Amino acid sequence: MMDMSKAFDTVAQNSIMQDLKTVLQQDELNLITILVKDVQLAVKLNGKIGQPFTTNIGTPQGDGLSPILFTLYLANALRTSTPAHLLDHQYCDPNLATNVIPLQYADDICWIGINDSKGIQHLKTIIPDQLGKRNLNINQDKTEEHVINRNGTNDWKQCKYLGTLLDTDSDLARRKRLANTALAKIKPILKDKKLSLNIKLRSYNAYVSSVFLYNSETWTLTKTLSNAIDTFHRRHLRGILDIRWPKVISNDDLYETTAESIWSDKITNRRLTFFGHILRLPDETPVRKCLDKFNIPHKKPRGAQKQTWIRSVSKDLESRGIDFRDATRLAQDRPGWRSMVRGV
């Protein structure tokens, strides 16, 4: 991860202005100049405004322009090391022969290596110097390295990427905590007897369901985990209806009263929708290459086979009467695939 504190000092400001000249007209460039150079700021605390000061690090934190400028700045800083097919947001290169997948977003850089430690080491050698030329410093204290293999350690399970822990069990536990926290914040709405059940459920789905189900299409779920998710969901719904012992309600009546979908079914639909997007990508994209490698026949290790995301998808397709080998062809018909996923 990079330290952004020096990303827009005097040297960086000159660099970003040079970058912007290639994409903006003069009037637009003048407007940006007003926003990033010699900006007067003041801190407001308890209704009182402090002494104004001049910032020399670009736009203020939280400014909507800041991430746009930084993304452009980072992209140009990495331009010479970024594969040519990624410069124009093309996600495949038929001639690319590497197992290193560079992923850059916001202020983070990540390299995923598939049996290619040398390729990653090469990038780790050249990238810091390249970023340093633009005053972008890699924070070694925040740098994480994880090796995922059958006989390795489990420290990778606590690695968070794009807001999701890589391990399904760990991410589920975290999502439950986040959902319960969100639920506690809207308790006044859920307990308000003047509000209709429809409004309460809409609030619940907006503030709680969206938090829990974030990136749920990437989870690898067993039957036990699916049941645990549905139990967690029903506990919330019973709380919204204020049904506590000795009051009882069956699961079927609960779903009918609230008009809620079963979360495990919703996750299945999301997983198949996501799988359809994958199958419609060009054959040479990294995710398609990974899928092809997974489908190559190989000797299975001894003992019970662990549940994988692909096995989950295979079961989802099988339940809908679709053979996994036919999925690629069927997914090209986007409306047809959507109807199949939704059971319409």
Side-chain angles (χ1 to χ4, degrees):
M1 300 181 68
M2 291 175 295
D3 183 0
M4 293 178 59
S5 61
K6 295 183 179 180
F8 287 106
D9 63 2
T10 303
V11 176
Q13 280 187 355
N14 292 334
S15 298
I16 190 63
M17 297 309 293
Q18 291 298 322
D19 295 338
L20 290 172
K21 285 181 179 180
T22 64
V23 295
L24 298 181
Q25 297 179 2
Q26 188 59 45
D27 289 345
E28 296 170 325
L29 193 62
N30 292 339
L31 180 61
I32 296 295
T33 302
I34 295 173
L35 295 175
V36 300
K37 283 194 173 183
D38 300 326
V39 179
Q40 288 285 324
L41 299 177
V43 178
K44 185 177 182 179
L45 180 63
N46 296 329
K48 296 181 179 181
I49 299 178
Q51 187 70 26
F53 62 93
T54 301
T55 176
N56 59 358
I57 57 172
T59 59
Q61 184 176 5
D63 191 310
L65 180 63
S66 180
I68 298 174
L69 293 179
F70 186 79
T71 300
L72 174 64
Y73 191 74
L74 177 61
N76 286 330
L78 294 170
R79 180 169 291 272
T80 57
S81 64
T82 304
H85 68 285
L86 292 179
L87 294 179
D88 295 322
H89 301 285
Q90 300 298 318
Y91 297 104
C92 69
D93 178 9
N95 301 316
L96 186 64
T98 178
N99 287 325
V100 178
I101 305 172
L103 305 174
Q104 291 91 22
Y105 66 96
D107 60 335
D108 290 345
I109 292 180
C110 176
W111 297 291
I112 299 176
I114 307 172
N115 298 324
D116 193 358
S117 58
K118 291 183 178 180
I120 291 182
Q121 290 301 324
H122 175 66
L123 287 175
K124 288 168 62 178
T125 300
I126 64 173
I127 292 298
D129 291 339
Q130 188 172 327
L131 294 176
K133 295 177 181 178
R134 286 200 164 211
N135 252 19
L136 294 175
N137 303 317
I138 293 181
N139 191 331
Q140 298 298 336
D141 293 336
K142 293 184 177 181
T143 299
E144 299 180 10
E145 291 191 24
H146 300 284
V147 177
I148 305 175
N149 58 46
R150 185 174 295 275
N151 300 318
T153 62
N154 291 327
D155 59 342
W156 61 270
K157 292 186 177 183
Q158 296 305 315
C159 177
K160 187 193 301 181
Y161 194 74
L162 293 177
T164 301
L165 296 177
L166 297 185
D167 177 56
T168 295
D169 289 347
S170 301
D171 195 47
L172 268 175
R174 179 172 174 270
R175 284 288 144 194
K176 285 183 178 180
R177 293 194 297 270
L178 293 174
N180 283 332
T181 300
L183 182 68
K185 291 181 179 180
I186 64 169
K187 275 262 178 97
I189 297 176
L190 302 180
K191 297 299 182 182
D192 192 336
K193 295 183 179 180
K194 296 181 181 179
L195 296 178
S196 67
L197 177 60
N198 182 51
I199 292 178
K200 293 179 180 179
L201 289 171
R202 288 176 63 184
S203 300
Y204 173 79
N205 286 319
Y207 294 106
V208 181
S209 296
S210 59
V211 170
F212 182 82
L213 295 175
Y214 174 76
N215 263 357
S216 59
E217 60 271 17
T218 64
W219 290 342
T220 299
L221 298 179
T222 61
K223 185 176 181 179
T224 300
L225 290 176
S226 295
N227 290 337
I229 290 173
D230 292 336
T231 300
F232 180 75
H233 183 207
R234 290 194 294 266
R235 186 182 303 119
H236 284 181
L237 295 180
R238 286 186 169 89
I240 295 173
L241 296 178
D242 196 24
I243 295 179
R244 294 177 175 81
W245 183 261
K247 296 180 181 179
V248 294
I249 185 173
S250 68
N251 293 340
D252 291 339
D253 289 341
L254 179 66
Y255 287 123
E256 183 177 354
T257 301
T258 58
E260 283 288 304
S261 301
I262 300 173
W263 268 1
S264 59
D265 291 344
K266 186 176 290 188
I267 293 172
T268 297
N269 292 341
R270 288 189 176 193
R271 186 164 53 230
L272 285 176
T273 299
F274 180 56
F275 187 59
H277 293 320
I278 293 175
L279 294 179
R280 284 188 291 273
L281 290 173
D283 292 338
E284 296 301 322
T285 53
V287 66
R288 287 299 305 274
K289 287 184 176 181
C290 291
L291 182 62
D292 293 339
K293 284 182 177 294
F294 184 89
N295 289 327
I296 295 176
H298 58 277
K299 184 179 180 181
K300 297 180 180 180
R302 296 178 59 183
Q305 301 301 303
K306 291 185 177 182
Q307 179 73 342
T308 64
W309 190 82
I310 293 297
R311 288 197 181 98
S312 298
V313 171
S314 298
K315 290 182 179 180
D316 297 339
L317 293 173
E318 184 179 345
S319 67
R320 287 163 169 76
I322 298 176
D323 188 270
F324 189 89
R325 292 169 295 184
D326 296 331
T328 301
R329 174 179 55 81
L330 296 173
Q332 306 311 310
D333 176 13
R334 192 165 189 157
W337 184 267
R338 186 185 299 114
S339 298
M340 180 277 296
V341 169
R342 298 177 180 177
V344 179

